[in-house]
Amino acid sequence: MNTLAINQLSTLRWDMQDDALAYANRGFSGIGIYRPKLEDFGLDRTVELLAESSLSATSLSWAGGFTGSDGRRFDEAVDDAMVAIREAANLRAGTLIVLAGGRNNHIRNHVRRTLLEALRRVSCVAEEFGVTLSLEPIHPGCGYEWSFINDLESCLEIIDAVGSPNLGVTLDTYHVGMDDDIVRWLPDVIPHLRLVQLGDGHHCPLGEMNRCLLGEGNVPIATLLQTLRMHNYRGPIEVEVIGEDVETLQYDCILDHAKGFLDRVLPDATRATLS
């Protein structure tokens, strides 16, 4: 059955220990690790905490930015990805999420070549460490500086060009779920799918990322989950809720709502998690 998890961005102001306790107490068996929190708490302490809490690291966020859009040089971004791979290996993380980087005033062919070169280098090291990488498409309305890979078709083209068995896809429903073609694309994506992140929104992303509580927006999450199960997706599912629409809510309320939503749409999975 799918491992159900919460991504730490959902409880950004809490520390690692608070996150682990709250997630485990609600019956979640996974946690999506955010690297700044990992750095604050320490890798060794985090490994011990996950074991004590019976939580698995479903993902580590993130590596990438290879195009220089975040101010780093190409080699700096690649070196940082190598560090992240070692962190992911120690955490036994299900996947290391990779963001391509923005266009950064370059032509598309240039940034594509840059990304391919980076992924080929990084994938070789990931294979040695037994770490799975997953490229995440980001909606241009809220993440043009993070990634020039904005849709599933572009993501699959890059994966095919790299040709590494360790490279797959992270599908975040907030970024791609309002695409009318999403259900049509899912059967092609599922063989490469390493992680599903659940996010909802009242409208297509525009400006700052602004997610709402699951099931209260316009992303057809229940339909997408049904399609994934129909095509036998058994990988991890993370909840990621962050943005202006939820910033006034207590984190406990957000987690309780997420648990209730998953109980309704994935009752078999939540029972398996708690058994």
Side-chain angles (χ1 to χ4, degrees):
M1 304 301 293
N2 306 99
T3 298
L4 302 182
I6 302 288
N7 189 283
Q8 287 187 295
L9 286 175
S10 302
T11 52
L12 189 59
R13 295 186 300 275
W14 283 356
D15 65 17
M16 185 74 72
Q17 201 153 11
D18 291 334
D19 289 344
L21 179 63
Y23 302 171
N25 283 347
R26 287 168 172 81
F28 291 98
S29 56
I31 177 172
I33 301 288
Y34 182 48
R35 288 183 71 196
K37 288 195 180 189
L38 177 66
E39 182 178 356
D40 288 344
F41 197 72
L43 179 59
D44 291 340
R45 290 180 67 199
T46 299
V47 171
E48 293 175 1
L49 177 63
L50 297 186
E52 292 168 0
S53 306
S54 299
L55 291 172
S56 62
T58 45
S59 70
L60 179 63
S61 302
W62 48 269
F66 303 115
T67 61
S69 59
D70 61 0
R72 293 182 299 174
R73 299 192 310 272
F74 176 81
D75 287 341
E76 290 175 331
V78 170
D79 288 346
D80 177 69
M82 303 301 186
V83 172
I85 287 170
R86 288 167 173 80
E87 293 170 344
N90 279 281
L91 292 166
R92 298 183 179 180
T95 191
L96 170 61
I97 299 174
V98 177
L99 301 184
R103 285 279 295 272
N104 198 27
N105 296 319
H106 296 297
I107 63 172
R108 191 171 183 85
N109 283 342
H110 174 77
V111 291
R112 187 179 187 276
R113 286 195 300 270
T114 300
L115 176 60
L116 290 175
E117 181 182 351
L119 289 177
R120 285 167 181 147
R121 289 194 198 181
V122 172
S123 293
C124 289
V125 177
E127 289 180 32
E128 293 176 9
F129 280 84
V131 170
T132 295
L133 308 175
S134 55
L135 187 61
E136 180 177 358
I138 302 292
H139 195 283
C142 68
Y144 68 92
E145 76 279 17
W146 297 343
S147 180
F148 71 94
I149 300 296
N150 307 128
D151 55 66
L152 293 172
E153 182 178 7
S154 300
C155 197
L156 293 179
E157 289 174 355
I158 292 293
I159 290 170
D160 184 61
V162 174
S164 169
N166 278 52
L167 180 61
V169 179
T170 287
L171 188 157
D172 188 326
T173 63
Y174 177 74
H175 290 295
V176 301
M178 294 190 205
D179 185 340
D180 292 338
D181 291 331
I182 178 66
V183 174
R184 180 174 64 85
W185 271 104
L186 278 182
D188 294 321
V189 174
I190 287 173
H192 306 281
L193 195 52
R194 303 294 178 260
L195 175 69
V196 171
Q197 292 182 323
L198 299 183
D200 204 348
H202 293 301
H203 51 75
C204 286
L206 182 63
E208 292 292 326
M209 186 165 58
N210 186 22
R211 302 169 186 241
C212 64
L213 294 174
L214 298 182
E216 295 190 0
N218 291 314
V219 177
I221 295 178
T223 299
L224 294 176
L225 287 173
Q226 290 168 4
T227 304
L228 288 167
R229 299 193 79 184
M230 184 172 62
H231 289 87
N232 297 313
Y233 173 70
R234 294 293 181 262
I237 296 173
E238 283 182 8
V239 173
E240 186 175 316
V241 181
I242 185 172
E244 183 179 353
D245 284 350
V246 296
E247 66 182 7
T248 61
L249 301 178
Q250 297 294 319
Y251 286 155
D252 286 318
C253 295
I254 292 174
L255 295 177
D256 289 341
H257 183 277
K259 180 63 169 56
F261 177 84
L262 291 173
D263 283 344
R264 293 192 299 274
V265 299
L266 289 174
D268 295 339
T270 52
R271 282 200 297 269
T273 299
L274 293 169
S275 63

